[in-house]
Amino acid sequence: MIKNFETKDFTLVLSGGGALGIAHLGVLHDLEDRNIVPKEIVGTSMGGIIGACMAIGMNEKEIHERIKSFAGVFNWIKFSFSGNAIVDNDKIAKIFDEIFQGRKMKETQIPLKLIATNLLNGHKRVFDASDDICIKDAVLSTMAIPGIFEEHIIDGDIYGDGFLCENLGINEATFEDIIAVDVLGENAFQNVMPDNFFKTSNVLEMLEKSMRLLIYNQSQTHIRNSSKNIYLLEPHTKEYKTFHFHKITEIRALGLGLLR
């Protein structure tokens, strides 16, 4: 039961999932309400952004307000007509500058690990306190969805989104006890096939469904092969898309009440 975590040292693992990751806020709210604080945070992609904010001491309300600024996503990004992505990260980087203010990975209140993928060799890269880099750079790496957001370069290496190697970072947990929040878990996909009038809509829905199933099976393999004590939380995100950043209130609510 979750009450056991109140007196244990545990790792909080937050998965990636685009806008679906906003559901992590509901879980953070309930953790705060019960005064349960992790001894370590592991995050990927959106889970990495929210986890990094939590690690520097921001409460859920403060993080919630920051995420709201992402709602009008196409108002604060600009499209790039060169390079390998359709989105230029300049404005995103400025937002992270405001949040993290030059703090490095070792300068957190709660130890933080962020998962990214080396796009040149495919290897998993875990940024932690041993890396002499800014939190902002690690966050820009873990969230860099290939083809969407620009890849991020650190010391000559090129990084992209951590979901490519480990979307639910339980393998990086230091502690035996883990609370893992997977917004792309079993409750993240519909048990029906797309049936829209327009073929284009069906194709796009099939692509997203396929990606969710791929990531889900990746995470399930890691869970099955883990010997740690994992308390798995899977918000019901199936009704929402990974790009629904304008539905912050509804998606946040999906994470509420999961701690029983």
Side-chain angles (χ1 to χ4, degrees), residues 54-106:
M54 184 183 187
I56 65 170
M58 295 174 66
N59 60 38
E60 190 271 333
K61 184 177 180 181
E62 292 170 328
I63 302 172
H64 189 186
E65 289 303 313
R66 285 294 185 174
I67 296 298
K68 280 183 180 178
S69 69
F70 300 165
V73 61
F74 290 105
N75 292 326
W76 52 264
I77 63 175
K78 65 178 181 179
F79 287 90
S80 173
F81 292 97
S82 61
N84 300 319
I86 63 172
V87 175
D88 188 303
N89 282 3
D90 287 350
K91 292 187 178 180
I92 303 171
K94 288 180 181 178
I95 291 174
F96 291 150
D97 276 331
E98 293 175 4
I99 295 174
F100 301 114
Q101 299 181 351
R103 287 187 182 89
K104 294 193 173 183
M105 289 293 293
K106 61 185 177 183

Side-chain angles (χ1 to χ4, degrees), residues 21-185:
I22 295 170
H24 292 313
L25 294 176
V27 176
L28 263 58
H29 172 274
D30 287 353
L31 286 172
E32 287 181 14
D33 193 52
R34 298 178 62 166
N35 198 31
I36 300 175
V37 181
K39 291 293 184 180
E40 175 186 62
I41 300 170
V42 179
T44 302
S45 201
M46 178 57 78
I49 296 172
I50 291 175
C53 291
M54 184 183 187
I56 65 170
M58 295 174 66
N59 60 38
E60 190 271 333
K61 184 177 180 181
E62 292 170 328
I63 302 172
H64 189 186
E65 289 303 313
R66 285 294 185 174
I67 296 298
K68 280 183 180 178
S69 69
F70 300 165
V73 61
F74 290 105
N75 292 326
W76 52 264
I77 63 175
K78 65 178 181 179
F79 287 90
S80 173
F81 292 97
S82 61
N84 300 319
I86 63 172
V87 175
D88 188 303
N89 282 3
D90 287 350
K91 292 187 178 180
I92 303 171
K94 288 180 181 178
I95 291 174
F96 291 150
D97 276 331
E98 293 175 4
I99 295 174
F100 301 114
Q101 299 181 351
R103 287 187 182 89
K104 294 193 173 183
M105 289 293 293
K106 61 185 177 183
E107 298 173 329
T108 59
Q109 295 182 18
I110 302 173
L112 173 67
K113 294 178 180 177
L114 297 177
I115 299 173
T117 305
N118 187 312
L119 293 179
L120 296 181
N121 58 29
H123 294 171
K124 178 170 68 174
R125 179 66 160 89
V126 182
F127 296 104
D128 59 22
S130 68
D131 293 294
D132 188 30
I133 65 169
C134 292
I135 297 173
K136 178 194 77 172
D137 289 309
V139 169
L140 285 170
S141 297
T142 190
M143 60 157 280
I145 302 172
I148 305 298
F149 294 106
E150 288 181 318
E151 60 272 14
H152 196 63
I153 301 174
I154 300 176
D155 295 331
D157 288 316
I158 304 173
Y159 295 103
D161 199 301
F163 86 84
L164 294 169
C165 52
E166 189 170 1
N167 195 59
L168 186 68
I170 58 173
N171 289 323
E172 302 308 322
T174 300
F175 298 100
E176 287 300 310
D177 294 299
I178 300 171
I179 293 179
V181 188
D182 191 2
V183 301
L184 286 175

